Amino acid sequence: MQFMIDSLGGAIKGAGRREYGFAELLIKQPKGIFKNIKDKTQCWMSHGDSAEKLPPGFEITASTDNTAIAAIVHKKKKFYGFQFHPEVAHTPEGTAMLKNFLFDVCGCKPDWTMKSFAKETVEQIRQTVGDSKVILGLSGGVDSSVAALLIHKAIDKNLTCIFVDNGLLRKDEAEKLKVRLKENLNINIRFINAANTFLKALKGVTDPEKKRKIIGKLFIEVFQTEAKKITGVQFLAQGTLYPDVIESVSAFGGPSSVIKSHHNVGGLPKKMKLKLVEPLKYLFKDEVRQLGQELGLHDDLVWRQPFPGPGLGIRILGEITRKRLDILREADAVLLEEIRKNGYYKKLWQSFAVLLPIKSVGVMGDHRTYENIIAIRAVTSKDAMTADWAKLPDALLGTISNRIINEVRGVNRVVYDISSKPPSTIEWE
């Protein structure tokens, strides 16, 4: 909307008061794109600039208390603009607005389905890869598992999946995933323990972007080393999603900022010897889960909460050491056990523990302690582009805190993160 206004003779200015999060949308023209949308509806804002003056021919169709020009239309040219985000789950009627735009205003037909996407993507992979061999980094998450199934359907035995234990996984995760992946995926999988290599490279590193770059670089190097053992490998497949692309690079060459480098897209060396296959790069997480169900992937993998490629390396703020990894693993295990036991695992987008780089004074029995602080992060979301902090019951939070402090040596304080995305990110680093 801002680009449209600026290009066509209007004016944009820095907002006196930025607007992030929920806002009440007051609809002035309940027709066209706002057909059958109630007058006052919730929307999700994320902006520091606002429209000051509209170009000729435009009208205001909606506003909020903070933003006078929240939606616009040029009826003759059929130009529409929103200041808010209709595409995210936190704008409840956003999907209805987009449907009005696509099917009423633009005259499109709803003939795209996940089944058709799967069929077309399998054929595209066949055409791209041909008789070459492909290796894929299999983490056990829904992204890489769905990517593996798609590619397996396209090229069968020419796919080799590689599971890398980088030493930054959660408690007992490597062994559990070996069993789960072998049971649920009838695909050739190789398991590699590279923990010492990763931990050695990360020694003394505290900057989060450096951590991500190091982990991403080693991730590729491990694959290149393994690829040499397999004759004919020309492609590296990845479960990159669209949010990864958006947050790591400006997707279409525009001025958007790099929020954080993802190991799939931000850590790739410029002269990588393998070509990329990324069949999910224009999908969001909820769509990948739908695709997984369409392909018959087991529920345990379809609904596994997202786990970042850099793993616990970006959930330990500050230096990564074996001792600090052990503390975080134990705290995280307690958290997930309670989340599952109380029926919240599938309700939450993510729930995890973060080890902070500060300590606090405590008292245990008759002794003064000076120990670590664990932060708990639990969010609800649909696509990871936006997220809201989860309103977990006080009793559950109390149980989690009590168990971590009593059961995990080296922790004497637990805090709960109550920030949304935006302005915060889901992960801390």
Side-chain angles (χ1 to χ4, degrees), residues 164-193:
V164 178
D165 181 355
N166 58 12
L168 304 170
L169 301 176
R170 290 169 289 200
K171 185 178 180 181
D172 301 327
E173 188 165 32
E175 292 305 316
K176 290 178 181 177
L177 282 173
K178 279 184 184 180
V179 174
R180 186 183 298 167
L181 292 171
K182 285 180 178 178
E183 288 177 348
N184 292 311
L185 297 178
N186 185 27
I187 296 172
N188 179 29
I189 306 174
R190 298 187 181 192
F191 294 91
I192 301 171
N193 187 338

Side-chain angles (χ1 to χ4, degrees), residues 120 205 230 238 252 259 290 322 351 399 407:
E120 291 168 6
V205 179
I230 308 170
Q238 298 189 135
F252 300 107
I259 298 171
Q290 291 175 33
R322 293 184 186 276
S351 48
T399 298
E407 297 176 26

Side-chain angles (χ1 to χ4, degrees), residues 9-24:
I12 302 295
K13 67 173 183 176
R17 180 179 155 209
R18 296 179 302 171
E19 194 171 29
Y20 294 103
F22 293 112
E24 185 178 63

Side-chain angles (χ1 to χ4, degrees), residues 206-407:
T206 59
D207 179 79
E209 274 298 287
K210 286 183 179 179
K211 288 180 186 178
R212 287 179 175 271
K213 295 291 186 183
I214 290 169
I215 293 167
K217 183 173 181 292
L218 285 177
F219 178 79
I220 298 301
E221 287 178 359
V222 169
F223 271 80
Q224 288 181 324
T225 300
E226 198 65 24
K228 293 176 183 177
K229 303 175 185 177
I230 308 170
T231 305
V233 172
Q234 294 184 25
F235 292 88
L236 168 65
Q238 298 189 135
T240 306
L241 305 190
Y242 197 47
D244 300 339
V245 176
I246 293 170
E247 293 187 340
S248 295
V249 295
S250 178
F252 300 107
S256 57
S257 299
V258 174
I259 298 171
K260 58 188 177 184
S261 295
H262 289 260
H263 76 293
N264 285 358
V265 278
L268 298 177
K270 293 179 180 178
K271 295 182 179 179
M272 192 180 67
K273 297 177 182 177
L274 301 175
K275 290 175 280 188
L276 282 177
V277 175
E278 297 175 306
L280 313 177
K281 68 185 294 184
Y282 295 119
L283 296 184
F284 291 89
K285 182 75 75 174
D286 60 320
E287 295 173 315
V288 174
R289 288 198 167 113
Q290 291 175 33
L291 180 56
Q293 291 177 316
E294 178 68 36
L295 295 171
L297 187 65
H298 193 281
D299 263 11
D300 284 351
L301 294 174
V302 169
W303 293 105
R304 184 177 178 236
Q305 288 185 1
F307 186 64
L312 301 183
I314 57 168
R315 293 179 180 174
I316 291 179
L317 276 60
E319 185 178 5
I320 301 169
T321 65
R322 293 184 186 276
K323 182 178 179 180
R324 300 191 80 208
L325 278 166
D326 288 341
I327 290 172
L328 182 56
R329 283 193 180 105
E330 293 299 327
D332 197 69
V334 169
L335 167 66
L336 290 178
E337 182 182 328
E338 290 295 333
I339 290 294
R340 285 192 174 96
K341 187 168 70 176
N342 287 273
Y344 280 90
Y345 188 79
K346 283 188 178 181
K347 297 177 183 178
L348 299 174
W349 177 264
Q350 274 178 281
S351 48
F352 56 89
V354 179
L355 180 59
L356 303 187
I358 54 176
K359 293 186 176 183
S360 70
V361 174
V363 57
M364 291 184 176
D366 296 326
H367 299 282
R368 174 189 182 275
T369 62
Y370 190 61
E371 301 288 5
N372 295 284
I373 302 173
I374 289 287
I376 300 300
R377 181 71 158 148
V379 299
T380 57
S381 181
K382 188 176 180 181
D383 53 22
M385 293 304 297
T386 61
D388 196 20
W389 62 277
K391 281 67 174 178
L392 297 177
D394 293 349
L396 175 55
L397 290 173
T399 298
I400 292 169
S401 175
N402 188 60
R403 283 196 59 193
I404 290 175
I405 291 172
N406 281 283
E407 297 176 26

Side-chain angles (χ1 to χ4, degrees), residues 138-151:
L138 192 60
S139 67
V142 63
D143 305 339
S144 61
S145 298
V146 169
L149 272 179
L150 272 176
I151 296 168

